[in-house]
Amino acid sequence: MLLDTYGRQAVDLRVSLTDRCNLRCTYCMPEEGLNWLGKPELLTDEEIVRLVGLAVRELWVREVRFTGGEPLLRPGLVPIIAACAELAPRPEISLTTNGIGLARVAPALRDAGVDRVNVSLDTLDPAVFHRLTRRHRHQDVLDGLAAAEAAGLRPVKLNAVLMRGVNEHEAADLLAWAIEHRYQLRFIEQMPLDAQHGWDRAQMVTAEEILALLRTRFSLTPEPSAARGAAPAERWLVDGGPATVGVIASVTRPFCRACDRTRLTADGQVRNCLFATGETDLRGALRSGAGDAELAELWRAAMWGKKAGAGIDDPEFLQPDRPMSAIGG
């Protein structure tokens, strides 16, 4: 298993399949994009399946979420998922996507073994969507959400980031729309993971502000703390339920104490924390002929050294050099 010195066990694996993305969200990367990883640097489909299999069989990982960049841009996505769904014990498999292209592949993802999807949608306004993402693809995301629901990839979860002066006024509208369409909405505080290192805590819309905006239209009742478990989102019953809304307050209400995640980047690096400044290279060891036992030991050592918390409130906090698109969510 994957333990750290604080007794936490990592059972949730996030796998980045590519650092590329077909949007240019202002809180993630510059308009011109980034210098993407070259194909030789990326793990091959077979290498990904081998490492996921190792995590499931030897390290007791029980949940696998495929991320990016944008994972739908990975040509081998469906075969990778199908191979991972054949593992024993079978992990729960999910996918985080911006939704572009999801309408086309949702049935294939379901048939391959995806259990549910998380889709990013920050606004209901196409003009605001373009301002945030620098692309005119709003309807594609809406179509992707509808296709995921129709394909049975439930619960369909929405991830929304509110930006001050841009879309925070839409908080209650987003929740009403999500409830109407039977999607589960989670607001995420903007995190210091942008490629430009332009994150400004003073400009971030906090969890308290998000909840205040929602309470202008809805009554919110906190779920019992036991219901949360290791989930990153605090959840509230909306108007008494059964609908819920979540807030992931990575900055103002860190949940490091219950963290159960380990991360594998598209170029084969283990990250023991989203905000880690160091990585452990599995790709190099794998390509040098390392066996499963050696790879497992490297992974265990990487997780054993995990810090107590992300340290965002520490005056000496350093934002990771690699942005969210390279790390995976």
Side-chain angles (χ1 to χ4, degrees), residues 65-66 139 167 199 211 231 265:
R65 180 181 298 183
F66 293 103
Q139 189 59 50
N167 65 334
W199 179 82
L211 293 171
T265 68

Side-chain angles (χ1 to χ4, degrees), residues 14-325:
R14 309 295 171 96
V15 182
S16 176
L17 297 178
T18 178
D19 60 331
R20 297 173 183 265
C21 189
N22 41 14
L23 297 180
R24 297 291 181 270
C25 295
T26 56
Y27 53 77
C28 186
M29 67 178 69
E31 185 171 5
E32 64 274 15
L34 301 169
N35 293 321
W36 310 121
L37 292 167
K39 187 173 182 179
E41 298 174 87
L42 296 173
L43 291 174
T44 66
D45 295 359
E46 294 76 16
E47 288 171 336
I48 291 171
V49 173
R50 179 180 172 187
L51 290 175
V52 172
L54 172 68
V56 169
R57 290 190 306 269
E58 305 295 332
L59 301 175
W60 295 22
V61 162
R62 295 296 175 258
E63 302 175 33
V64 179
R65 180 181 298 183
F66 293 103
T67 70
E70 173 45 52
L72 296 186
L73 295 180
R74 177 88 185 202
L77 173 63
V78 171
I80 288 171
I81 290 170
C84 292
E86 292 295 320
L87 294 171
R90 184 198 187 281
E92 178 183 318
I93 298 175
S94 59
L95 183 81
T96 295
T97 172
N98 62 28
I100 296 173
L102 184 57
R104 175 177 52 82
V105 299
L109 293 174
R110 175 202 60 208
D111 294 344
V114 172
D115 297 302
R116 60 177 180 82
V117 293
N118 289 42
V119 181
S120 299
L121 180 66
D122 302 326
T123 176
L124 300 174
D125 185 335
V128 176
F129 183 88
H130 179 258
R131 179 179 175 185
L132 282 167
T133 68
R134 305 183 178 104
R135 297 291 186 271
H136 292 287
R137 306 298 297 272
H138 188 255
Q139 189 59 50
D140 292 323
V141 180
L142 300 186
D143 292 344
L145 282 164
E149 172 69 22
L153 298 175
R154 305 187 188 102
V156 176
K157 294 187 177 181
L158 294 183
N159 294 338
V161 176
L162 297 182
M163 302 291 289
R164 195 174 303 281
V166 180
N167 65 334
E168 81 268 36
H169 63 282
E170 291 190 69
D173 290 337
L174 277 164
L175 179 53
W177 184 83
I179 293 172
E180 177 187 353
H181 290 82
R182 297 182 299 177
Y183 304 143
Q184 292 186 6
L185 177 61
R186 305 188 308 174
F187 291 98
I188 304 175
E189 287 183 337
Q190 183 197 6
M191 293 179 282
L193 291 169
D194 59 306
Q196 312 94 299
H197 285 212
W199 179 82
D200 181 352
R201 187 181 186 123
Q203 291 301 310
M204 178 190 71
V205 181
T206 67
E208 284 301 322
E209 291 176 293
I210 293 168
L211 293 171
L213 289 166
L214 296 178
R215 286 184 171 119
T216 62
R217 193 182 308 179
F218 304 97
S219 67
L220 303 179
T221 306
E223 276 195 333
S225 58
R228 181 180 182 183
E234 293 181 81
R235 298 204 308 178
W236 285 260
L237 295 173
V238 180
D239 292 339
T244 62
V245 64
V247 178
I248 299 177
S250 301
V251 178
T252 63
R253 299 179 183 179
F255 40 88
C256 303
R257 188 174 301 174
C259 182
D260 66 350
R261 284 166 290 287
T262 182
R263 289 176 165 81
L264 182 66
T265 68
D267 55 348
Q269 311 300 305
V270 168
R271 296 182 62 85
N272 60 25
C273 173
L274 190 59
F275 298 100
T277 55
E279 299 174 334
T280 298
D281 181 19
L282 292 189
R283 183 194 64 194
L286 189 156
R287 293 181 180 177
S288 296
D292 284 357
E294 182 180 346
L295 293 169
E297 189 54 37
L298 285 170
W299 207 327
R300 289 191 190 98
M303 296 308 297
W304 187 251
K306 185 172 182 173
K307 296 180 179 179
I312 291 180
D313 289 326
D314 191 323
E316 298 182 357
F317 171 77
L318 293 177
Q319 181 173 335
D321 290 334
R322 300 226 281 177
M324 176 69 86
S325 59

